[in-house]
Amino acid sequence: MSSSKHRNARKRFLFLICRFSLLLLNLEEYYFEQHTANHIINKDCKDERKFRGSLKICSKSIIFEPDDNVQPIIKIPLRDCSILFEINSTEHLFQLDVAWKVGDVVQTLHQLYRASCLDKMGDQAAMITAILQSRLARTSFDKYRFQSISETLHMECKAEMVTPLVTNPGHVCVSDANLYFQPLNGYPKPVVQITLQNVRRIYKRRHGLMPLGLEVFCTENDLCSDIYLKFYSCQDRDEVYRLIAKYIENHIAEHTAESYVLQWQRGHISNYQYLLHLNNLADRSCNDLSQYPVFPWIIADYSSSVLDLTKPETFRDLSKPIGALNKERLDRLVKRYQEMPEPKFMYGSHYSSPGYVLFYLVRVAPEYMLCLQNGKFDHADRMFNSIAETWKNCLDGATDFKELIPEFYENDSSFLVNSLKLDLGKRQGGKMVEDVELPPWASGPDDFLQKCQEALESPYVSEHLHEWIDIIFGYKQKGSEAVAAHNVFHPLTYEGGVDLNSIMDPNEKVALLTQILEFGQTPKQLFTTPHPQRKIQKLKSLSRTSSHSTSIAESPVSPNEESFEDLTEESITLAWNNIAKLKLDTQFKILPLNWEGDSTLKMFSRDSKTIQRSVSFSNMALSSCLILPGDTTVISSSWDNHIYFYSIAFGRQQDVLLGHDDAVSKICWRDGRLFSASWDSTVKVWHCVPGETLSNKKHHFELLAHLEHDVSVNTMDLNAANTILASGTKEGTISVWDVTTATVLHQLPHHSGTVFHAAFSPDSRHLLSTGEDCCFKVIDVQTGMLVSSVTTEEPQRCFKWDGNTILSGSQSGELLVWDLLGGKVTERIKGHTGAVMSMWMNEQCNSVITGGEDKQIMFWKLQY
């Protein structure tokens, strides 16, 4: 039911001429068969008329769809029928084109008729299911439907194709080239075929709160899938998923939410695209009206003549659910909630349900609304008449808490216009229901949608959207956090709220499933911790045509060497955009130091590139070294628990600090403070006061902070402001510390082995780590949420990154360039013959030095 499919849909509506025995409580009805037939009116009379069309045999009704679009579609409940040779209802006569099929059709109708006459819904459902399974068991996939005789069959099973309000049973077949679905009734065509090489996304779905669905997309960003299948067993669903993923090259594996958070925070996907991804991940589908994608109300001003997106009061409070925006109404709901027996719920209706979706889409999909509303449109005053009225009712109405649908932020305004000239009724004031009334600030439907898009992508919404995500998809969705956020719905709406398999009474099971499908379902919870905020400062305009836009800042030309040395954001961004062009450069001016992995510190000449000095501090390996500002002193840490100060000017050891009870693994120097990490499970912060002259007076060391860990600390890093420290342990834990208070902010067991390296992004908003578990992990520093995870082929021992791109040194000795947002290697650069153990990059990001396990150092230069 995407907007494109709306436009291509047949422009007609259902006209139901017989009474319903039920209100179509079952939102999905099976279509068993379809036959070409004539609808005969006034048979054997002078005014006898015949209308040619398609006769559909459904689980609870007969539907005749005439070829002439002017004629109404006829739907007759089976309970109201008397089945004769020619298929006669109390008012209608249908004559099949193929006479020999009549007997089989009548037999099917008799079976379904008996099912429809049973008193209990559970008994009806059980008999219909038995009839369905019997028919499926007697048929199989027609192998002559294969696209090629060379195709190899890998799997065949029974399943259903899910579309809004209609479920088609049939057979699924997976070959080495195609996915096929053959519906029993041949509708909408004898076989639906999808080429595996064209598949781009696959999602496992829960359908009716059960893990039986599978949705397949052949496009990167389309809202609507190519096919939605519901299986009869989870095993069949998982096997089909595995086969599809196995036989396609370009498959984007079923993403986790974390794979999109970093893209969104970095501005590589828009707010609209991010919400679409979250809806997909939370099992929301355009093919399932009970789980249709949900979008927020953004704008709160529907009375002004001009929409001012610079004023906060223009926007809805995204930190609260719809039901909590009106304090007076909320107080009444809270009081009722407190007095209610278990199971408690605050809202008697959901923010997304089939009725609400069709409320918005009635002008483009009237047939669905008529199916849902017993063959009639709703009362004219309760229709989707006005944007302002709908918003007001969502604020004040006792039972109206609905959010919006994606169509409000797309480019097709047809759902706002009565282009089909439907008779939607007359309001109390005498006015006919026509197009949706727009707010004064919108010059027309297209302008209204454009302003809604602008509002969704505005700075205010970008900085507050995470609050709404917490409520709908995140940690405020369930439990005590939901109660605190006034966001409590009936348990039936939540995943795990009811186990249908545990219910033995068939009538109770059907009743519960009906409630689930009718009332609406809360999205699958994607986040259990607060969602990080998106702060936009210099984001580019975002296009909706691709989920991966280009880099935030771009330069079309390469500056000359002199201007490139300027420490500008543009030059650094340019360097990272071209980081894959690193070349080994033996003529590069190197820094005067290198760590070789043993106890020897070697000093190199910048000009001659020869060793000038070599000093050994102890009989144990050095672990880290750095040069102090002024380039006169080198500090080295050692496995012998000491930290050594070496004077370059005087060529001798100047000072030594016995700082730890075990090996010192990493040191950092910032603003006169020394930070040291150790295998003794601590990180220590020292204030170092040097002597009056470096030649005759030692440093004075004052311990400022003592950061305790449970296990050995292997690496650490500080943010740009020197206020936040991150440490990584040998057991895979990342700890984030507030240095000013010496307290831990987050303790995150993200790696399953030693953390080799961790570093903050240049803006200090994210922390990247890598370990022996062959994973890159990115966390949001503010919330501690894991926002990206990339699996590598082998351990990456060290890296540099700009927040989007990683240059890493691998276990095998290669330098790898990673597209972090895409989760893939974009360039491999041959380097060392052993593991790359250390990496240094200059401030301009155009020169790199690497040290390897092969006892080599390499000097790299960026080539433009």
Side-chain angles (χ1 to χ4, degrees):
M1 280 179 53
S2 68
S3 49
S4 61
K5 296 194 174 183
H6 287 150
R7 290 191 297 271
N8 296 328
R10 194 175 184 185
K11 305 303 184 183
R12 61 161 62 184
F13 62 93
L14 289 172
F15 177 66
L16 307 183
I17 59 176
C18 291
R19 72 184 188 277
F20 276 90
S21 57
L22 295 172
L23 186 60
L24 273 180
L25 289 177
N26 56 312
L27 295 180
E28 297 172 336
E29 188 168 355
Y30 291 118
Y31 277 51
F32 278 88
E33 299 175 9
Q34 182 168 302
H35 304 279
T36 303
N38 289 315
H39 176 214
I40 303 175
I41 299 176
N42 300 326
K43 182 176 173 59
D44 298 330
C45 297
K46 290 183 179 181
D47 58 347
E48 177 181 318
R49 288 181 296 168
K50 290 185 179 180
F51 297 99
R52 191 167 183 77
S54 177
L55 185 70
K56 300 178 180 180
I57 311 301
C58 305
S59 53
K60 293 192 176 184
S61 60
I62 299 172
I63 295 177
F64 180 75
E65 185 175 3
D67 294 339
D68 185 354
N69 289 350
V70 177
Q71 297 300 316
I73 295 174
I74 299 170
K75 183 166 184 175
I76 307 169
L78 283 170
R79 179 176 267 187
D80 293 345
C81 295
S82 58
I83 311 300
L84 304 178
F85 179 77
E86 289 181 302
I87 311 178
N88 188 17
S89 76
T90 54
E91 300 180 23
H92 300 277
L93 177 67
F94 302 97
Q95 189 176 53
L96 300 184
D97 274 8
V98 184
W100 62 265
K101 288 185 177 180
V102 172
D104 292 338
V105 173
V106 171
Q107 182 180 2
T108 300
L109 285 171
H110 273 301
Q111 291 176 327
L112 294 172
Y113 174 74
R114 287 196 298 270
S116 69
C117 291
L118 296 173
D119 292 332
K120 295 182 177 180
M121 293 176 60
D123 295 337
Q124 291 181 23
M127 187 169 180
I128 290 171
T129 300
I131 296 169
L132 172 62
Q133 293 301 321
S134 175
R135 290 174 66 87
L136 287 172
R138 295 196 307 269
T139 59
S140 61
F141 183 82
D142 182 3
K143 307 303 188 297
Y144 290 105
R145 297 289 183 179
F146 276 0
Q147 291 290 303
S148 169
I149 58 174
S150 62
E151 284 186 60
T152 302
L153 173 66
H154 287 291
M155 182 184 180
E156 179 183 347
C157 65
K158 298 176 289 185
E160 299 169 5
M161 185 172 70
V162 178
T163 57
L165 300 181
V166 176
T167 302
N168 280 351
H171 294 272
V172 168
C173 182
V174 184
S175 73
D176 56 352
N178 294 287
L179 166 68
Y180 298 96
F181 177 76
Q182 180 177 293
L184 276 179
N185 58 6
Y187 178 84
K189 50 188 176 181
V191 169
V192 178
Q193 177 255 329
I194 293 175
T195 303
L196 295 183
Q197 290 291 338
N198 293 337
V199 175
R200 293 295 177 268
R201 293 181 288 146
I202 314 172
Y203 293 94
K204 294 179 181 178
R205 298 293 193 207
R206 56 171 187 167
H207 185 79
L209 296 187
M210 300 180 70
L212 300 174
L214 182 69
E215 196 160 18
V216 180
F217 294 78
C218 292
T219 54
E220 298 288 355
N221 302 298
D222 198 352
L223 178 62
C224 203
S225 64
D226 290 77
I227 193 168
Y228 187 152
L229 297 170
K230 173 191 173 185
F231 295 83
Y232 296 109
S233 75
C234 185
Q235 292 75 15
D236 283 347
R237 191 275 304 270
D238 292 346
E239 180 62 13
V240 170
Y241 178 91
R242 186 189 69 81
L243 288 171
I244 294 175
K246 178 180 178 181
Y247 282 96
I248 57 179
E249 295 178 358
N250 299 318
H251 169 52
I252 301 175
E254 188 171 3
H255 286 283
T256 57
E258 69 187 29
S259 62
Y260 293 114
V261 177
L262 185 62
Q263 293 184 47
W264 175 69
Q265 281 192 289
R266 291 284 173 191
H268 286 252
I269 58 176
S270 65
N271 292 337
Y272 170 83
Q273 290 169 332
Y274 185 49
L275 289 176
L276 279 187
H277 288 309
L278 294 185
N279 273 283
N280 255 328
L281 293 168
D283 289 330
R284 315 298 289 188
S285 168
C286 291
N287 287 311
D288 186 351
L289 292 180
S290 68
Q291 296 191 97
Y292 202 79
V294 56
F295 270 61
W297 284 94
I298 293 295
I299 299 170
D301 178 5
Y302 295 101
S303 59
S304 300
S305 58
V306 177
L307 186 68
D308 189 349
L309 298 180
T310 65
K311 299 193 308 183
E313 54 266 30
T314 298
F315 299 94
R316 165 257 183 103
D317 185 351
L318 290 166
S319 68
K320 299 176 181 177
I322 286 289
L325 293 177
N326 182 326
K327 186 179 184 304
E328 183 180 342
R329 180 180 64 174
L330 177 62
D331 290 342
R332 294 195 301 267
L333 293 171
V334 170
K335 182 178 180 181
R336 186 186 68 174
Y337 173 81
Q338 293 170 344
E339 296 172 351
M340 185 181 295
E342 295 292 346
K344 291 175 177 285
F345 55 89
M346 197 166 295
Y347 306 117
S349 62
H350 207 260
Y351 52 75
S352 177
S353 67
Y356 286 164
V357 173
L358 297 179
F359 168 85
Y360 291 125
L361 298 180
V362 64
R363 289 169 174 80
V364 289
E367 63 272 26
Y368 295 123
M369 174 62 80
L370 289 169
C371 273
L372 203 65
Q373 290 284 131
N374 199 17
K376 300 176 183 178
F377 293 118
D378 203 350
H379 189 281
D381 286 302
R382 290 196 296 266
M383 296 286 284
F384 182 31
N385 294 308
S386 161
I387 302 293
E389 284 182 11
T390 302
W391 168 247
K392 185 177 185 303
N393 201 53
C394 289
L395 287 182
D396 302 335
T399 60
D400 194 351
F401 313 103
K402 58 180 173 286
E403 292 279 8
L404 297 183
I405 56 176
E407 281 78 357
F408 279 81
Y409 302 101
E410 295 177 350
N411 297 318
D412 185 355
S413 62
S414 60
F415 75 103
L416 300 170
V417 181
N418 187 16
S419 59
L420 299 180
K421 303 303 178 184
L422 301 169
D423 183 0
L424 299 175
K426 184 182 293 186
R427 304 188 67 178
Q428 286 185 354
K431 185 178 181 180
M432 294 297 296
V433 177
E434 292 294 346
D435 298 345
V436 177
E437 294 178 12
L438 303 175
W441 45 257
S443 61
D446 291 339
D447 183 58
F448 171 75
L449 293 189
Q450 182 179 349
K451 286 184 168 61
C452 286
Q453 294 170 15
E454 292 172 358
L456 180 62
E457 304 302 335
S458 65
Y460 178 89
V461 173
S462 291
E463 294 188 7
H464 291 273
L465 188 58
H466 67 286
E467 297 172 325
W468 185 83
I469 292 171
D470 282 335
I471 294 169
I472 306 299
F473 302 103
Y475 80 111
K476 292 183 179 180
Q477 185 194 90
K478 297 179 181 178
S480 58
E481 294 288 354
V483 176
H486 308 298
N487 190 45
V488 183
F489 295 90
H490 194 281
L492 278 177
T493 69
Y494 295 97
E495 183 179 28
V498 62
D499 181 6
L500 291 175
N501 291 322
S502 66
I503 300 172
M504 297 295 104
D505 185 336
N507 297 302
E508 182 184 355
K509 179 179 288 190
V510 170
L512 284 173
L513 182 58
T514 299
Q515 291 181 56
I516 290 168
L517 295 177
E518 275 201 324
F519 186 80
Q521 298 172 46
T522 299
K524 182 168 65 178
Q525 188 175 25
L526 301 179
F527 309 104
T528 57
T529 57
H531 192 285
Q533 186 180 20
R534 181 191 195 191
K535 294 183 178 179
I536 58 170
Q537 298 169 352
K538 299 181 180 181
L539 296 185
K540 290 173 52 178
S541 297
L542 292 163
S543 169
R544 292 184 178 177
T545 59
S546 172
S547 61
H548 298 281
S549 62
T550 53
S551 298
I552 293 173
E554 294 178 339
S555 176
V557 296
S558 299
N560 58 42
E561 186 71 19
E562 181 179 358
S563 63
F564 183 70
E565 293 300 320
D566 296 334
L567 294 181
T568 63
E569 181 181 351
E570 290 76 14
S571 65
I572 293 173
T573 301
L574 178 64
W576 275 103
N577 286 344
N578 291 276
I579 201 69
K581 298 179 181 178
L582 276 180
K583 301 294 181 183
L584 195 60
D585 184 1
T586 58
Q587 301 304 311
F588 182 72
K589 295 179 180 180
I590 65 170
L591 288 179
L593 56 90
N594 174 54
W595 172 67
E596 206 178 48
D598 55 24
S599 62
T600 305
L601 180 71
K602 295 182 178 179
M603 313 291 289
F604 289 81
S605 166
R606 294 174 184 261
D607 300 323
S608 65
K609 298 181 177 60
T610 58
I611 296 176
Q612 298 294 300
R613 297 177 186 173
S614 179
V615 58
S616 181
F617 294 118
S618 73
N619 59 358
M620 299 186 73
L622 303 181
S623 58
S624 180
C625 68
L626 55 86
I627 188 168
L628 294 186
D631 298 343
T632 60
T633 304
V634 174
I635 308 177
S636 293
S637 59
S638 172
W639 286 3
D640 68 0
N641 312 350
H642 290 75
I643 300 170
Y644 297 92
F645 289 70
Y646 180 82
S647 171
I648 299 174
F650 294 94
R652 63 172 180 260
Q653 178 179 309
Q654 172 186 331
D655 219 336
V656 61
L657 170 64
L658 177 58
H660 292 272
D661 298 326
D662 205 337
V664 182
S665 53
K666 185 73 180 285
I667 53 174
C668 293
W669 179 275
R670 297 286 182 88
D671 293 339
R673 294 184 178 184
L674 175 67
F675 298 80
S676 59
S678 170
W679 293 356
D680 66 4
S681 306
T682 67
V683 172
K684 294 183 179 181
V685 184
W686 310 85
H687 178 53
C688 297
V689 181
E692 294 178 0
T693 62
L694 292 175
S695 60
N696 60 17
K697 198 163 184 178
K698 296 182 180 296
H699 287 71
H700 170 68
F701 301 101
E702 178 187 356
L703 182 62
L704 299 179
H706 188 100
L707 310 182
E708 285 284 356
H709 297 68
D710 294 331
V711 293
S712 300
V713 182
N714 196 60
T715 188
M716 67 174 171
D717 189 44
L718 283 152
N719 69 345
N722 304 326
T723 56
I724 306 294
L725 181 143
S727 55
T729 71
K730 285 195 172 183
E731 291 188 357
T733 299
I734 300 290
S735 298
V736 180
W737 300 81
D738 183 339
V739 176
T740 59
T741 60
T743 57
V744 65
L745 302 176
H746 310 294
Q747 202 162 30
L748 311 165
H750 282 331
H751 292 277
S752 58
T754 299
V755 181
F756 288 141
H757 190 48
F760 288 93
S761 59
D763 61 8
S764 299
R765 293 178 60 195
H766 296 106
L767 178 75
L768 175 67
S769 60
T770 184
E772 66 176 339
D773 59 356
C774 301
C775 284
F776 280 119
K777 303 282 187 176
V778 182
I779 67 167
D780 179 80
V781 175
Q782 181 184 19
T783 64
M785 177 188 283
L786 180 68
V787 297
S788 184
S789 180
V790 178
T791 302
T792 64
E793 296 176 356
E794 59 178 338
Q796 305 298 304
R797 301 301 299 262
C798 53
F799 63 83
K800 296 292 179 181
W801 73 311
D802 72 337
N804 303 306
T805 304
I806 306 171
L807 175 67
S808 68
S810 69
Q811 184 72 35
S812 62
E814 288 182 308
L815 299 187
L816 304 180
V817 180
W818 296 81
D819 171 13
L820 178 58
L821 303 180
K824 60 185 179 181
V825 175
T826 59
E827 191 70 28
R828 294 178 179 270
I829 304 171
K830 291 185 178 180
H832 296 266
T833 57
V836 183
M837 302 301 293
S838 60
M839 180 182 294
W840 173 89
M841 178 181 280
N842 68 343
E843 290 180 309
Q844 293 87 352
C845 304
N846 63 346
S847 298
V848 175
I849 304 176
T850 57
E853 217 170 29
D854 57 1
K855 306 298 181 181
Q856 298 291 321
I857 59 170
M858 294 185 175
F859 314 105
W860 305 85
K861 182 75 173 178
L862 197 60
Q863 304 292 325
Y864 291 94

